Amino acid sequence: YDSEGGDLTSAGRLEGKLREKTLTLDTLNPQVKAVEYAVRGPIVIKAGEIERYLEEGGTKPFSEVIKANIGDAHAMGQQPITFLRQVVALCTFPELMDSPSFPEDAKWRARRILQGCGGHSLGSYSASPGVECIRKDIAAYIEQRDEGVPSDWENIYLTTGASDGIMTILRLLVSGKDSSRTGVMIPIPQYPLYSAAISEMDAVQVNYYLDEDNCWALDINELYRAYQAAKLHCQPRVICIINPGNPTGQVQSKKCIEEVLHFAYEENLFVMSDEVYQDNVYTPDCQFHSFKKVLYEMGPEYFNSVELASFHSTSKGYTGECGFRGGYMEVINMDPEVKAQMVKLLSVRLCPPLAGQAAMDVIVNPPQPDEHSYKQFRQEKSSVLGALADKAKLTEQILNAVPGIKCNPVQGAMYAFPRIFIPPKAVEEAKALGMQPDMFYCLRLLEETGICVVPGSGFGQKDGTYHFRMTILPSIEKLKVLLGKVRDFHIRFLKEYSALE
Amino acid sequence: YDSEGGDLTSAGRLEGKLREKTLTLDTLNPQVKAVEYAVRGPIVIKAGEIERYLEEGGTKPFSEVIKANIGDAHAMGQQPITFLRQVVALCTFPELMDSPSFPEDAKWRARRILQGCGGHSLGSYSASPGVECIRKDIAAYIEQRDEGVPSDWENIYLTTGASDGIMTILRLLVSGKDSSRTGVMIPIPQYPLYSAAISEMDAVQVNYYLDEDNCWALDINELYRAYQAAKLHCQPRVICIINPGNPTGQVQSKKCIEEVLHFAYEENLFVMSDEVYQDNVYTPDCQFHSFKKVLYEMGPEYFNSVELASFHSTSKGYTGECGFRGGYMEVINMDPEVKAQMVKLLSVRLCPPLAGQAAMDVIVNPPQPDEHSYKQFRQEKSSVLGALADKAKLTEQILNAVPGIKCNPVQGAMYAFPRIFIPPKAVEEAKALGMQPDMFYCLRLLEETGICVVPGSGFGQKDGTYHFRMTILPSIEKLKVLLGKVRDFHIRFLKEYSALE
């Protein structure tokens, strides 16, 4: 108020009556204050400042900021899948149905989607769980993916990106009134949407640690340890799994998934499986297994009882369509009365964006071998996934050649999460600045090279260990340059602070 | 569980160990249970059931269900604005930039939007507050709308429809911990997003009643009454206004807005002005005044101090693009530290859908008189708004000619909210069924005519009065049929129940 009201000469001001703001840091919802989201946190704000500084003619030891902080494929130059965009453009502007430059297989998909929309327009609200024919396409896709495991389209809910679905399910489980008692089990390291949602809803975060020495595998004994420890001060009701892992890039084995599901069955936990990277598996000895399929194979006493929500998105995979905010969740074994309550909750926000729903439909219903667009689609898809596999390998190799950096294989997803050695003197200096040592490291990296990565502390890590998350999304040429700069920086950094010992 | 586990013969089942569901109505977050959202509530679910019944060959006294429950223009046959869809299609599939069938004025807008997107793609995340050039266009639009009142683009936040913005601001104000003490003043009748959000966040709903006898005007004395009464049991911190009114259709006078703002200034309230119907004003003696402009004209002691968020949307106006989930809010006088916290909160959900942001850009930056697309744009826009004005008038006239129905003028927005007389015997019968009398009425209307409207009880109303909300969106021919059916039904209903007296 002071700065804005400095030149006031009004009656109120003359009377010395300073109107206070209603909403200040003191009166702000404390749960909002508690939220942290490193992927767009302080380091990214700093990167934006440097970008503007460069644009305005400022100079730095580099000419551009490379944002390797977020899984934003198109921003890194990945091209959209032509067929997907054709279908969405046709839905948006149906006069294009008459254009000979759009293929028939795209047109019939667009027509079908529009027939499912009110007034045959992408401008209508859909039903809150999404357009019916898209829900049916998703169910058919899941059945095919899971080699015949049944999927009921009425269990499918379109969402505004996967984040929205994850928040919705957590909202059902976490009560404001006794929320300090609801435990939500999450992996550490985790994608910070989870910790942010837990803070916002005032639930209890229950950490289970992934095993860095074992390729970030999930160890069932650690799950039991975390659960038992948590039970002393809260009621753990839900376990979240991210597979393939974000930020850790591991792909879970079938055996491990079985163990998690058995644990959830025994301890009566709701299972949330974040499977948005299901198409991003790179190492030949790894395979994506959906939690649902594994649950099915465990037999009906499991498949008919464990409450499971799994999440998917248009933002990842080979499409990388983040801006469309498309996604879905499949929810099985949910109590029908709870389901009705969930639909009511979804209906308050009306519906997910229709363009995102259409994009999701193309992903689950891509061109088939006998269709005109198949060849180009297959070529574009394998080109994206092939390049990602190459970049995953390259990143691991280059990072592991740097003394003081150790990187697990990037089996899947879009990130490397290397462990970095930070010399004690640098740790000291960071702490003197009131900063996490890896934040200090990443800020230095940004200032000196223009490379923006996210400190491991934003995802969680074992005490005394330090990491950063970087995406493998830049083009292979750019990625090589980036990794070279990281290497040179790291060596310089080690030298500088080891000399101080 | 029982129904699903009926055929289990597993060890667990044989041992008699019945695994309970984690999430049941008993363990569900009670705040979710408390949420009500009539616009997509029980009556709409019933309408969907009847629709399916008809599709499957069932017979009713009517051949189709007319959904007049929700402001979903395209679903009611309204055609999209060509220019808007051209721009969004160009953004979606930039190869169309080479197509001669798209006008240059649409192409340069699309190019400009794409230049603001990462990798020049609608598939990238935007910054969490939205694409910078779109925020700038919105600020320029507001300045023009408000005849020169300054608007800072950094105060503009793109949202996923207006609902998302409203929830975000409320989330800042309502703390989970002491939320039972935060009062949120809302008009009665209100749009039930507000009451739903208040329930979900466990705040205190503070009702101020609009004056039905005075065209649903807001009476400042009633505001003071509501405030004083609320202060006895909570701390009112925010006042919500819907102008033009939903469901009530009134357009607030400048004097009334001044009074509200003075009241907010005096009592230190945050002001949320829901102005999504700002382009929907039909009666010549009414004019839309933005809260911000009125605040400005009250002088700097007000303009530099009252915290105000105003909301707009792509879903209403003359575009009716609900499915795009576009919208924005302008937030003035917010404490800079709080603003930083809000951006952090927004960043967890990454960004609003890019197609919706693009659609919003077209609305604030439409074709100008010297541009190729202007003529068609102006014609389409005035055709939609002209028809809405005709339908507003027609609805009021036909309803007021029915004995036992009294409808205030539909000055703006998209709804009529007539008061209906329900005979005591019908009230009795409804209560015996455990139903609100106007719900009973609306269900009968639906069952007998196929017309789906929303009971007044879903919006709030003075005790002992009954209403329903219907949209004026059907085509004029359909609307006439619809209103005729409502009239005939109402007369039949009165006769039936008056005969029982």
Side-chain angles (χ1 to χ4, degrees):
Chain A
Y1 177 80
D2 275 344
S3 68
E4 284 170 331
D7 58 349
L8 292 190
T9 53
S10 78
R13 182 60 185 263
L14 288 176
E15 284 161 19
K17 180 187 159 196
L18 278 173
R19 186 180 179 276
E20 282 180 14
K21 286 202 188 292
T22 303
L23 190 54
T24 64
L25 264 196
D26 287 340
T27 59
L28 178 73
N29 177 356
Q31 291 162 223
V32 170
K33 228 178 301 182
V35 165
E36 288 184 23
Y37 186 68
V39 172
R40 293 198 157 186
I43 195 123
V44 185
I45 293 169
K46 184 79 196 163
E49 287 167 14
I50 295 177
E51 250 179 349
R52 261 192 304 280
Y53 172 79
L54 288 174
E55 274 165 24
E56 286 159 7
T59 54
K60 285 276 175 189
F62 47 86
S63 59
E64 64 162 339
V65 171
I66 303 178
K67 290 193 175 160
N69 59 294
I70 188 166
D72 190 359
H74 292 205
M76 284 289 144
Q78 184 180 310
Q79 293 306 301
I81 298 291
T82 303
F83 186 74
L84 185 150
R85 292 298 188 93
Q86 285 173 327
V87 173
V88 179
L90 285 159
C91 289
T92 304
F93 195 60
E95 283 182 35
L96 292 170
M97 298 284 184
D98 300 329
S99 162
S101 48
F102 282 74
E104 280 309 314
D105 43 9
K107 285 180 185 171
W108 85 253
R109 276 175 183 75
R111 253 183 237 116
R112 190 160 159 281
I113 292 168
L114 289 178
Q115 266 158 22
C117 296
H120 299 179
S121 169
L122 223 50
S124 301
Y125 293 120
S126 72
S128 300
V131 175
E132 190 171 309
C133 70
I134 299 177
R135 297 170 76 192
K136 288 177 175 164
D137 285 347
I138 293 169
Y141 159 81
I142 293 173
E143 281 199 11
Q144 197 185 23
R145 181 198 70 188
D146 290 344
E147 295 168 350
V149 178
S151 173
D152 180 346
W153 70 271
E154 299 201 68
N155 289 338
I156 308 292
Y157 299 85
L158 275 296
T159 56
T160 306
S163 309
D164 170 50
I166 291 165
M167 298 287 261
T168 298
I169 297 291
L170 283 176
R171 186 80 64 198
L172 301 178
L173 284 153
V174 176
S175 149
K177 295 262 165 66
D178 61 353
S179 61
S180 58
R181 312 295 315 139
T182 303
V184 179
M185 301 188 73
I186 62 171
I188 296 293
Q190 50 112 24
Y191 174 55
L193 164 68
Y194 292 92
S195 50
I198 288 167
S199 295
E200 192 183 320
M201 299 182 196
D202 204 23
V204 179
Q205 178 174 324
V206 177
N207 296 337
Y208 64 89
Y209 288 82
L210 302 176
D211 184 359
E212 182 162 17
D213 295 332
N214 192 15
C215 271
W216 296 114
L218 196 166
D219 173 11
I220 191 71
N221 295 315
E222 165 61 10
L223 267 193
Y224 278 100
R225 181 210 59 77
Y227 178 77
Q228 293 302 341
K231 273 188 79 168
L232 300 176
H233 64 281
C234 71
Q235 197 200 339
R237 293 187 64 205
V238 51
I239 177 167
C240 304
I241 299 105
I242 312 174
N243 178 46
N246 176 4
T248 38
Q250 84 285 12
V251 177
Q252 280 184 310
S253 71
K254 194 172 157 186
K255 175 166 167 292
C256 171
I257 296 172
E258 271 171 13
E259 288 173 343
V260 172
L261 286 167
H262 180 74
F263 165 73
Y265 175 88
E266 287 292 322
E267 304 303 347
N268 217 32
L269 298 174
F270 195 107
V271 180
M272 292 173 62
S273 65
D274 179 339
E275 302 179 326
V276 300
Y277 297 100
Q278 59 188 265
D279 288 327
N280 299 99
V281 176
Y282 311 121
T283 40
D285 51 333
C286 289
Q287 199 193 327
F288 170 74
H289 302 275
S290 79
F291 267 65
K292 183 169 167 227
K293 179 161 184 256
V294 175
L295 189 67
Y296 181 82
E297 290 167 354
M298 288 168 77
E301 72 274 29
Y302 290 90
F303 190 62
N304 294 328
S305 113
V306 174
E307 294 149 271
L308 169 67
S310 78
F311 305 91
H312 199 9
S313 163
T314 60
S315 305
K316 310 302 170 189
Y318 55 91
T319 54
E321 295 282 12
C322 311
F324 280 83
R325 313 307 299 120
Y328 73 77
M329 55 185 178
E330 181 182 29
V331 184
I332 64 171
N333 292 320
M334 184 178 264
D335 180 301
E337 288 182 308
V338 173
K339 226 175 189 178
Q341 295 283 324
M342 181 173 76
V343 171
K344 181 187 71 179
L345 190 66
L346 294 175
S347 75
V348 177
R349 284 158 183 86
L350 299 162
C351 68
L354 269 287
Q357 295 192 42
M360 196 75 241
D361 193 51
V362 178
I363 292 174
V364 298
N365 186 15
Q368 298 304 304
D370 59 347
E371 288 185 305
H372 172 83
S373 300
Y374 180 71
K375 207 176 137 197
Q376 185 183 359
F377 170 79
R378 198 186 51 174
Q379 186 270 319
E380 291 177 355
K381 174 177 171 177
S382 59
S383 150
V384 170
L385 291 177
L388 282 171
D390 292 345
K391 294 188 275 191
K393 195 81 205 143
L394 179 81
T395 304
E396 177 200 340
Q397 283 170 344
I398 297 185
L399 288 175
N400 277 327
V402 184
I405 297 189
K406 194 176 173 309
C407 184
N408 268 321
V410 181
Q411 299 170 338
M414 296 181 168
Y415 316 97
F417 194 68
R419 181 162 171 184
I420 47 178
F421 172 70
I422 299 187
K425 284 284 172 194
V427 172
E428 249 171 57
E429 190 173 328
K431 288 188 173 161
L433 293 164
M435 215 181 260
Q436 292 287 346
D438 48 12
M439 172 66 88
F440 177 74
Y441 178 97
C442 291
L443 274 174
R444 287 279 307 262
L445 177 68
L446 174 64
E447 289 282 3
E448 294 177 27
T449 66
I451 297 168
C452 179
V453 300
V454 187
S457 45
F459 303 88
Q461 54 200 354
K462 269 206 172 136
D463 278 349
T465 71
Y466 306 110
H467 303 77
F468 63 78
R469 186 188 86 162
M470 60 167 280
T471 69
I472 57 167
L473 292 171
S475 68
I476 202 124
E477 297 71 30
K478 217 167 190 169
L479 188 63
K480 278 181 189 162
V481 174
L482 187 155
L483 290 164
K485 284 184 176 185
V486 169
R487 181 190 54 218
D488 297 348
F489 165 81
H490 189 80
I491 292 169
R492 235 170 27 240
F493 186 87
L494 282 197
K495 213 166 153 186
E496 177 183 338
Y497 284 98
S498 302
L500 297 173
E501 304 287 319
Chain B
Y1 176 82
D2 274 347
S3 67
E4 285 170 328
D7 58 349
L8 293 189
T9 53
S10 78
R13 182 60 187 261
L14 287 176
E15 285 162 18
K17 179 187 161 196
L18 277 173
R19 187 179 179 277
E20 280 180 14
K21 287 206 187 289
T22 303
L23 190 54
T24 64
L25 263 198
D26 287 339
T27 60
L28 178 72
N29 178 356
Q31 291 162 224
V32 170
K33 228 179 298 181
V35 165
E36 289 185 20
Y37 187 66
V39 172
R40 293 197 158 189
I43 195 125
V44 185
I45 293 169
K46 184 79 198 167
E49 287 168 14
I50 295 177
E51 250 180 347
R52 260 192 304 280
Y53 173 78
L54 288 174
E55 274 166 25
E56 286 160 7
T59 54
K60 284 277 174 188
F62 47 88
S63 59
E64 63 162 339
V65 171
I66 303 179
K67 288 191 177 162
N69 59 296
I70 188 165
D72 191 357
H74 291 204
M76 284 289 143
Q78 185 181 309
Q79 293 306 301
I81 298 290
T82 303
F83 187 75
L84 185 150
R85 292 300 188 92
Q86 284 173 327
V87 174
V88 180
L90 285 158
C91 289
T92 304
F93 195 61
E95 284 182 35
L96 292 170
M97 297 285 183
D98 300 329
S99 163
S101 49
F102 282 75
E104 280 308 314
D105 44 8
K107 285 180 186 172
W108 85 252
R109 277 176 182 74
R111 254 184 236 113
R112 192 160 156 280
I113 293 168
L114 290 178
Q115 266 157 23
C117 296
H120 299 179
S121 169
L122 222 51
S124 300
Y125 293 119
S126 72
S128 301
V131 175
E132 191 172 307
C133 71
I134 299 178
R135 296 169 77 192
K136 287 177 175 164
D137 286 347
I138 293 170
Y141 159 82
I142 293 173
E143 281 198 11
Q144 197 186 21
R145 181 198 70 189
D146 289 345
E147 296 168 350
V149 179
S151 174
D152 180 347
W153 70 270
E154 299 201 68
N155 288 336
I156 309 291
Y157 300 85
L158 276 294
T159 56
T160 306
S163 309
D164 169 50
I166 292 165
M167 300 285 262
T168 298
I169 297 291
L170 284 175
R171 185 81 63 198
L172 301 179
L173 285 153
V174 177
S175 148
K177 295 260 164 67
D178 61 354
S179 61
S180 57
R181 309 296 316 140
T182 303
V184 179
M185 302 188 71
I186 63 171
I188 295 294
Q190 52 110 24
Y191 173 56
L193 165 68
Y194 292 93
S195 51
I198 289 167
S199 296
E200 193 183 320
M201 299 181 197
D202 204 21
V204 180
Q205 178 173 323
V206 177
N207 296 338
Y208 64 88
Y209 288 83
L210 302 176
D211 184 359
E212 181 162 17
D213 295 332
N214 192 14
C215 270
W216 295 113
L218 195 167
D219 175 11
I220 191 71
N221 295 316
E222 166 61 9
L223 268 194
Y224 278 100
R225 180 209 62 76
Y227 179 77
Q228 294 303 341
K231 273 188 77 169
L232 301 176
H233 64 280
C234 71
Q235 196 200 340
R237 292 187 64 205
V238 51
I239 175 165
C240 304
I241 299 105
I242 312 172
N243 177 46
N246 176 6
T248 39
Q250 84 287 13
V251 178
Q252 280 185 310
S253 71
K254 194 172 156 187
K255 177 166 166 291
C256 170
I257 296 173
E258 271 171 14
E259 287 173 344
V260 172
L261 287 168
H262 179 75
F263 165 75
Y265 175 87
E266 288 292 323
E267 305 301 349
N268 218 31
L269 298 174
F270 195 106
V271 180
M272 293 173 63
S273 66
D274 179 339
E275 303 180 326
V276 301
Y277 296 102
Q278 58 188 267
D279 288 327
N280 299 99
V281 175
Y282 310 121
T283 41
D285 51 333
C286 289
Q287 201 193 325
F288 171 73
H289 302 276
S290 79
F291 267 65
K292 185 174 167 222
K293 179 161 184 256
V294 175
L295 189 67
Y296 181 80
E297 290 166 353
M298 289 168 76
E301 73 275 26
Y302 290 90
F303 190 63
N304 294 327
S305 114
V306 175
E307 295 149 270
L308 169 68
S310 77
F311 305 91
H312 199 10
S313 163
T314 60
S315 305
K316 311 302 169 186
Y318 55 91
T319 53
E321 295 283 11
C322 310
F324 280 83
R325 313 306 301 119
Y328 74 78
M329 56 184 177
E330 182 183 28
V331 185
I332 64 170
N333 292 318
M334 184 178 266
D335 181 301
E337 287 182 309
V338 173
K339 226 174 189 178
Q341 294 284 323
M342 181 172 76
V343 171
K344 181 188 70 178
L345 191 65
L346 293 174
S347 75
V348 178
R349 283 155 183 90
L350 299 164
C351 69
L354 270 286
Q357 295 192 43
M360 196 75 240
D361 193 50
V362 178
I363 292 175
V364 298
N365 186 15
Q368 297 304 304
D370 60 345
E371 288 185 306
H372 172 82
S373 300
Y374 180 71
K375 209 177 134 195
Q376 185 182 0
F377 171 79
R378 199 187 50 175
Q379 186 269 318
E380 290 177 355
K381 175 178 171 176
S382 57
S383 147
V384 170
L385 291 176
L388 282 170
D390 293 346
K391 293 187 275 192
K393 194 82 207 140
L394 180 81
T395 304
E396 178 199 341
Q397 284 170 343
I398 297 184
L399 288 175
N400 276 327
V402 183
I405 297 189
K406 195 175 172 312
C407 185
N408 269 322
V410 181
Q411 299 170 337
M414 295 180 167
Y415 316 96
F417 194 67
R419 180 161 171 186
I420 48 179
F421 173 71
I422 299 186
K425 283 284 172 195
V427 172
E428 248 172 58
E429 189 170 329
K431 288 189 173 162
L433 293 164
M435 216 180 260
Q436 293 287 346
D438 48 12
M439 173 64 91
F440 177 73
Y441 178 97
C442 291
L443 274 174
R444 285 279 307 262
L445 177 68
L446 174 64
E447 289 281 4
E448 293 178 26
T449 66
I451 296 167
C452 178
V453 299
V454 188
S457 45
F459 303 88
Q461 55 199 355
K462 270 206 172 135
D463 278 350
T465 70
Y466 305 111
H467 302 78
F468 63 78
R469 185 187 87 161
M470 61 168 279
T471 71
I472 57 167
L473 292 172
S475 68
I476 202 125
E477 297 70 33
K478 218 168 187 168
L479 188 63
K480 278 182 189 161
V481 174
L482 186 156
L483 290 164
K485 284 185 176 183
V486 169
R487 182 189 55 219
D488 297 348
F489 165 80
H490 189 80
I491 291 169
R492 237 175 18 244
F493 186 86
L494 283 196
K495 211 166 155 187
E496 177 182 339
Y497 285 98
S498 303
L500 298 174
E501 304 287 320

